């Protein structure tokens, strides 16, 4: 069984998807980590990200594995490096590259074959797994997401200004939504969950409730 969780940055998708997978005994696929790995591989090779064919060749060649919440690229644990600002700031042309998306969606299909999976990203319920049995669109208002981001950055000891974060986030939302292939949108058959004012625990409970209504008896472990 496939459960897709899509939504904008800062909606709490990642922790919600991870916790949901653990709770119901499914594997967890972080598709954002795949785009991050391709970006890191390109940066290491000092490849111009505008060279769409070369970037796509890297996306097809790179081996990405996910085990126990660690991400391995060609056998190397890159879990921390793919979250570095240098990768985050460079990712847009990689995620916009239609051939990269095609290669990564194919890799997502291989990864999920024969497994029960919670998969998280932007295009999982729309492009990657249009026939998924359970689709969730997890979101929150821009203001709530920006407040959460500011709190996270301050916890990490970084400087963060709400207005600036909100503005950057709004720009990213527009870009993610307008992306020609794999743009961020909710699938018509997805269930939207607004997480404003909800704790992580409450979000988890809500997701478990939704999944229970969709889960065939044979898929539960
Ligand atoms: O979820 P994240 O921040 O780790 O995602 C990193 C980037 O990859 C983000 O810019 C959106 C993009 N992405 C995508 O285009 N499609 C996905 N399925 C997952 C992530």
């Amino acid at each position: 069984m496939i459960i897709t969780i899509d939504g904008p940055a800062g909606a709490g998708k990642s922790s919600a998807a991870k916790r949901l997978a653990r709770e119901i005994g499914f594997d967890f696929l972080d598709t954002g980590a795949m785009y991050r790995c391709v970006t890191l591989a390109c940066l290491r090779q000092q490849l111009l990200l505008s060279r769409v064919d070369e970037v796509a060749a890297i996306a097809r060649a790179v081996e990405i594995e996910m085990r126990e919440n660690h991400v391995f690229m060609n056998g190397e644990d890159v879990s921390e490096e793919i979250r570095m600002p240098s990768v985050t700031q460079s990712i847009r042309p990689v995620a916009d590259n239609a051939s990269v998306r095609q290669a990564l969606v194919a890799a997502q299909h291989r990864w999920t074959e024969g497994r029960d999976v919670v998969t998280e990203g932007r295009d999982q319920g729309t492009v990657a797994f249009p026939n998924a049995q359970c689709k969730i669109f997890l979101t929150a208002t821009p203001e709530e997401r920006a407040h959460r981001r500011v709190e996270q950055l301050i916890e990490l000891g970084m400087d963060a200004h709400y207005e600036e974060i909100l503005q950057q986030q709004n720009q990213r939302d527009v870009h993610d939504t307008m992306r020609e292939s794999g743009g961020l949108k909710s699938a018509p058959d997805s269930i939207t969950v607004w997480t404003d004012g909800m704790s992580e625990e409450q979000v988890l409970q809500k997701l478990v409730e939704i999944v229970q209504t969709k889960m065939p008896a044979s898929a539960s472990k």
Side-chain angles (χ1 to χ4, degrees), residues 22-185:
R22 199 181 316 130
E23 181 77 16
I24 62 175
F26 278 32
D27 292 328
F28 167 61
L29 178 60
D30 174 357
T31 63
M34 301 173 94
Y35 288 87
R36 289 176 179 276
C37 281
V38 175
T39 307
L40 177 61
C42 293
L43 291 176
R44 283 186 177 177
Q45 294 189 24
Q46 298 187 329
L47 184 62
L48 272 183
L49 299 174
S50 54
R51 292 184 178 264
V52 286
D53 293 338
E54 289 168 51
V55 172
I58 288 190
R60 286 190 290 270
V62 77
E63 272 184 33
I64 303 166
E65 280 177 81
M66 289 181 207
R67 275 181 271 128
E68 291 153 19
N69 288 332
H70 282 254
V71 182
F72 297 85
M73 184 175 82
N74 299 327
E76 176 190 348
D77 187 347
V78 292
S79 314
E80 284 184 14
E81 204 175 344
I82 57 169
R83 310 270 161 213
M84 281 169 48
S86 56
V87 173
T88 307
Q89 282 155 15
S90 305
I91 217 161
R92 187 181 284 185
V94 176
D96 283 349
N97 184 322
S99 304
V100 167
R101 301 200 72 86
Q102 210 176 15
L104 294 187
V105 167
Q108 289 155 18
H109 289 165
R110 288 195 297 276
W111 200 91
T112 51
E113 224 172 81
R115 284 173 156 174
D116 289 324
V117 177
V118 176
T119 175
E120 180 247 310
R122 306 291 190 284
D123 60 347
Q124 296 299 285
T126 50
V127 176
F129 300 100
N131 298 322
Q133 294 91 326
C134 179
K135 300 181 185 179
I136 295 165
F137 192 78
L138 200 73
T139 190
T141 55
E143 294 75 15
E144 170 92 7
R145 292 189 280 125
H147 277 303
R148 287 183 195 163
R149 184 73 190 135
V150 169
E151 275 170 26
Q152 279 169 356
L153 291 171
I154 288 174
E155 263 173 38
L156 292 171
M158 293 161 84
D159 223 13
H161 302 283
Y162 172 76
E163 289 301 334
E164 201 180 310
I165 298 282
L166 180 64
Q167 196 196 4
Q168 287 168 358
Q169 183 187 268
N170 285 342
Q171 282 172 358
R172 205 166 51 225
D173 283 355
V174 170
H175 191 90
D176 275 352
T177 311
M178 303 299 283
R179 177 174 291 128
E180 259 176 51
S181 69
L184 173 67
K185 60 172 182 242

